[in-house]
Amino acid sequence: MIVTIDNLDGAGAVDYSTALCAQGPLKITRSLNAPSLCSGMLDVSDAAAGAGLAVPARRGRVVVTAANGTILFTGYVATDPEAIYAGTGLKGPVYRYAFSAVSDEWLLDKQTVPLSGAGLGQSGGQLLTTLTNRVDAGLFTTTGVMNGLAVGVFEPVQTESWSVNAGNVASSTYAAYRVLNSAVGLQPAGTVVHALSDGDGTLQVAALKTSAVKELANDVTVSGELEPTAYVTETFAGDGTTTVFELSEDPFRPKKTANSAQLLTDSFNESVLNTQIWEVADPGSHLGLSAAGLTMTGGNGLDGQTTLTAIDPVELVGSLVIEAGNLVLGGASAGLVCGLYSGATQSANCFVGYNVRQSGGNTVVVPFVNGAEVGTVFPMLQGHTYTIRIRLHAVEMQRVLQTYYAMVDGVVEAFGGGLVTAPMSVVFELQDLGLASNTPAVVLYDGSVVNSPASCSFAAVNSVQLIGSMGYCRLTQTGSSWVVSTLPSGVKTTRLVGLAGEGADCSVSATGKVTFYSGRVPVAGELVTVTYRAQQRAVARIQNAASVEAEAAGGVPGTAQWLGKVLKPPARSSVDCENAALAVLSFSASRAAAVAGSYDAVNPQDVWPGDVLAVTSNGQTMSVVVRRVEISDGMGSPEMLTYRMAFANDWAEGLGLTLSEAIAADALLPLTALSSTMPAGGSVLANLQMLQVVSATGTALQVDTGTAAPVGGGFEVRRRDGDFGPGVDQDLVLRSPVRSFSIPREGQIEHYYVRMFDGSKPPLYSRFSSAVFTNLPVSE
C-alpha cells in the first residue's frame, strides 16, 4: 500500500509508506452505509526508514492507494495519534504512533443538518444530492450519485449527522453510499457482482443459533407508528353563550418531530435568499432581499421563469395553512403568490394560489384553484400591507404510501408505494392591515375540490411582473381537525382555526378542546361540526400459507410466528405495515432462514459493501450482499491485501427495512392473519371519506355516505366500533342498501359508526369506520 498524509503544514502530501509497522498493520474497515475507517501504526523515529517524518496531525488528510493504483481510502485523522512506547534507543525512549482516520464524510458530519421537510416519492439519488447540498453545497461532487429506486417518505433527522441520514436514504432504497476521493457516490446494492469460488478464498457461513440469529418465520406481525383511524364527524348545538366544546376523542396529529408543524418558514431577514430552503430561478435578477423582506421588482413577462420554489414537496394531508405576511403589491403586478403546483411551476399546474393581475388600473388578487380564478376579486390598496392565507383540509393524513425493498432470489423487489386519493376543502382569507391596524380576516373563497393531488411543490412567488415585497412566508401542519358551522338559516361556513389575532374564530387543542373566541361564539340554534380523525397503533399480520403447509408436513404445527416493529422506513399506517410484513415474509419464510458469514480472499478485485458476492461452493452458487469489508495489509512484496468480506441476507441483517424484535406495547394484535397472496389493502373496501350528516332534527339524523352502495351490499351502522359483520347483532343499529338513510335519534349524546360492505361471502368491509358523534337536543 502507498499511504500519504497531508498534515496541513504546507509540505503537502507526504509518503508515510515506509513508516508503516508490521506490528500494527494498516487496516481499512468499510461498513455498509456508514463512514469507512483506516487505522495503523507508524514508526517516525530516527532509527526508522521513515526518519524525519512528522507525527500525523489531527485533521491531516490520509490517502491509501493499492499498488495497482486503486484508491482504497481517503479521509482525515479524526483524533491526535496515540503514542505507544516501543523501547529505548540510542537517543532515549522510542515511540510509535497509532492513528485512526475517518473517510471524507467526516467533513460533512461535523456540520449541522438543516431543518427540512420530507422527501415524497423521490429517488434515493435526488434525496442524497439535496441532503449533501444543504449541508455544504460544493464541498463534494455528486456526479457519482445514481438516482436508483424511489423512497415513499423520507424525513432527515436534524439531530443526526450527515452520514446517518445518508445511510438511511441509501438503506431505504436498497442502495449503498460511499464518499471517496472528494466524491459522494450512491448505487443500488448488487450493481457490482463478484464471482468467487472455493478455490479463490475461504468461505465461512455462520452456524445458525436461534438465540442470536432469527430462524424461519411464516406468520409475521409488525407494528408501526400511531395512525389515524375513524373518520369522525362530531356535531354540537350552540346556545349563544357556550364557548368551549369537548370532543369525544383526541384528534389525530402527526408524530411530533422538529418540523411536523412548521413545514416551511422564512422571515426573509438574511443577507441572501436561503438556498437550503428555496430553489431560485431568476434570470433577470428580479428577486432580492431588503428591509421589507423578499422584494419583487418585476419579471421577464413569462409564466414560470422567475420563481422562488421550496426544495421540499408538500404532502396535502390534514389541515394545512399557507400564510404570507406584510405583503405589499403595486405597480403593474402580475403573477401568482403562495401557490401549490402539481407539476412544473406554471399557472396551468397551480392547484391553489393567489392570482395577481390588473383590473381597471388597480392591482387585484383573486383565489386561484386548478388553474382558474374562483371566489371574490380583492383590490390591493396603495400603501396597505396584507396577510394572505390559504387553508386546506383533507380527511386523509397519509397520501404517499411507504415503499419497502427486499432482495428475493437475487433480485430486488418493491413492496408498497402508491398514492391515496382524497377530497379537499379550501378557504382563502385575507387581512388588510391598513397602515397600522389589525382587522378581521375576509374570506374570499370557501369551497371544496373532489380530487386533489397527493403532494405539490410550493412556490412563494411565480412572477410574471410582480412588484412589491413579502415580509415572511410559512406553511404549517395543524393536525386533522376542521370546523364548519351551519347557521339556523341553513347557511354553512367554515370556522377559521388559529389565533385570535389572526382573525380566526376558534382554536382546537391536542386534547380535543374547541374554544371559540369572543365575538365568534356560536349563536343559539347554530350547529358546529368538527371533522377529525381518531387514532391507534398501526399493525398488520400476514401469513405465508404455502410455507405453513410445508412446515406442517412432518406432523408438527407449521406456523412459525415472528412479532416486531418497523423502524425504518417508518410505517405510518396499517397499509404500510401490511407492505412491510410482505417484505419480511419474502425472506423470512426461506428454509435457509437467516444466513450470515464471511469470505476471505487475497488480492481480489476491490470490494465495497453493497456489492454482491456470487460464491460457488460444492457446485452451488449463493448470492449474498456484502455488509462489511476489512482490508488488511500483509506487509509483503509483492503486495498482499487480505479482504475479509462479511455478508448476510436480509433476515440476518436488514437493509431495505430496519426491524426491532419488540412489537409496540400498545398494538392491538390481530387474531387472524391475512394471506401473503393478497395485495396490501385487498381485504377491505374503500373508507367513506365523504360521509356527512346532511341534517339533524330532534328525531333523526339524515346521513349521506357520499358513494353508491356496492352490488349486493350496503352500509352498516353500529353503536360501537368493531365487530362489523353478518350474524353479529350486538350494537347493530341498521343496514342500508342505499347511500342516504336516516338514523333514529336515541338520546342527546350519540355515537354511531358506519362502514360499507359488499356482497361477498363473507362480505368485505371498509378498513375504518366513519363515525357520527352528536351532542344535540332530542324531541320528547
Side-chain angles (χ1 to χ4, degrees), residues 383-739:
H384 285 221
T385 60
Y386 297 87
T387 298
I388 58 173
R389 296 186 191 90
I390 304 174
R391 298 178 186 268
L392 304 165
H393 178 255
V395 293
E396 296 296 341
M397 296 300 297
Q398 180 189 24
R399 305 286 303 277
V400 180
L401 297 175
Q402 197 61 271
T403 304
Y404 298 94
Y405 297 100
M407 184 169 284
V408 182
D409 296 329
V411 178
V412 177
E413 293 188 8
F415 299 85
L419 305 175
V420 177
T421 60
M424 180 157 285
S425 299
V426 183
V427 174
F428 288 75
E429 64 182 87
L430 178 147
Q431 281 181 282
D432 182 354
L433 305 181
L435 299 176
S437 63
N438 190 359
T439 57
V442 176
V443 174
L444 303 181
Y445 177 74
D446 187 347
S448 62
V449 179
V450 174
N451 293 313
S452 63
S455 65
C456 285
S457 61
F458 171 73
V461 168
N462 175 10
S463 178
V464 175
Q465 189 69 27
L466 292 175
I467 299 171
S469 61
M470 182 185 295
Y472 66 87
C473 181
R474 57 177 173 244
L475 274 72
T476 307
Q477 220 297 331
T478 62
S480 61
S481 304
W482 190 254
V483 184
V484 175
S485 277
T486 303
L487 296 174
S489 63
V491 175
K492 289 189 175 182
T493 181
T494 300
R495 290 292 209 146
L496 309 182
V497 179
L499 301 176
E502 297 174 347
D505 300 312
C506 60
S507 65
V508 180
S509 72
T511 56
K513 182 181 292 186
V514 183
T515 304
F516 285 86
Y517 302 128
S518 176
R520 311 286 202 277
V521 178
V523 300
E526 179 179 342
L527 299 183
V528 178
T529 300
V530 185
T531 302
Y532 62 97
R533 299 290 297 274
Q535 59 186 1
Q536 68 180 25
R537 179 69 59 182
V539 66
R541 178 183 174 188
I542 297 184
Q543 186 180 89
N544 184 320
S547 174
V548 172
E549 183 179 358
E551 290 298 306
V556 297
T559 300
Q561 281 197 338
W562 183 84
L563 289 80
K565 183 177 182 181
V566 182
L567 300 179
K568 298 174 185 176
R572 302 190 296 168
S573 66
S574 294
V575 176
D576 284 349
C577 285
E578 289 177 16
N579 287 314
L582 287 172
V584 172
L585 280 171
S586 72
F587 47 75
S588 70
S590 167
R591 293 301 301 270
V595 174
S598 65
Y599 188 92
D600 293 1
V602 176
N603 294 339
Q605 178 186 355
D606 193 29
V607 180
W608 281 84
D611 293 353
V612 164
L613 302 183
V615 183
T616 301
S617 178
N618 194 28
Q620 295 185 332
T621 300
M622 173 177 62
S623 295
V624 287
V625 177
V626 177
R627 307 303 170 122
R628 281 170 295 281
V629 178
E630 287 187 1
I631 307 172
S632 298
D633 185 4
M635 303 297 291
S637 181
E639 182 178 66
M640 293 180 60
L641 300 180
T642 299
Y643 278 67
R644 166 159 286 192
M645 296 155 278
F647 58 80
N649 65 5
D650 287 347
W651 193 218
E653 184 176 339
L655 175 55
L657 71 166
T658 304
L659 302 169
S660 166
E661 295 284 346
I663 198 165
D666 58 353
L668 297 176
L669 302 184
L671 297 179
T672 57
L674 301 174
S675 171
S676 61
T677 60
M678 183 177 294
S683 63
V684 295
L685 299 182
N687 296 314
L688 300 175
Q689 298 174 327
M690 302 179 68
L691 182 144
Q692 60 178 327
V693 178
V694 177
S695 65
T697 68
T699 58
L701 302 174
Q702 185 65 35
V703 174
D704 180 4
T705 61
T707 187
V711 175
F715 306 94
E716 189 169 298
V717 183
R718 292 184 176 272
R719 295 182 183 87
R720 290 181 177 85
D721 207 357
D723 288 333
F724 282 83
V728 182
D729 294 331
Q730 62 183 15
D731 301 321
L732 177 65
V733 178
L734 60 88
R735 293 187 179 98
S736 171
V738 294
R739 63 177 281 176

Side-chain angles (χ1 to χ4, degrees), residues 60-94:
R61 179 162 175 77
V62 179
V63 178
V64 181
T65 309
N68 62 7
T70 301
I71 298 176
L72 301 177
F73 176 87
T74 60
Y76 296 85
V77 178
T79 58
D80 291 322
E82 179 186 2
I84 299 175
Y85 180 70
T88 303
L90 295 176
K91 295 183 179 181
V94 176

Side-chain angles (χ1 to χ4, degrees), residues 5 23 92 136 244 272 309 427 455 463 497 537 657 738 751 766:
I5 302 177
Q23 293 87 344
D136 196 333
V244 178
V272 294
T309 306
V427 174
S455 65
S463 178
V497 179
R537 179 69 59 182
L657 71 166
V738 294
H751 287 183
S766 304

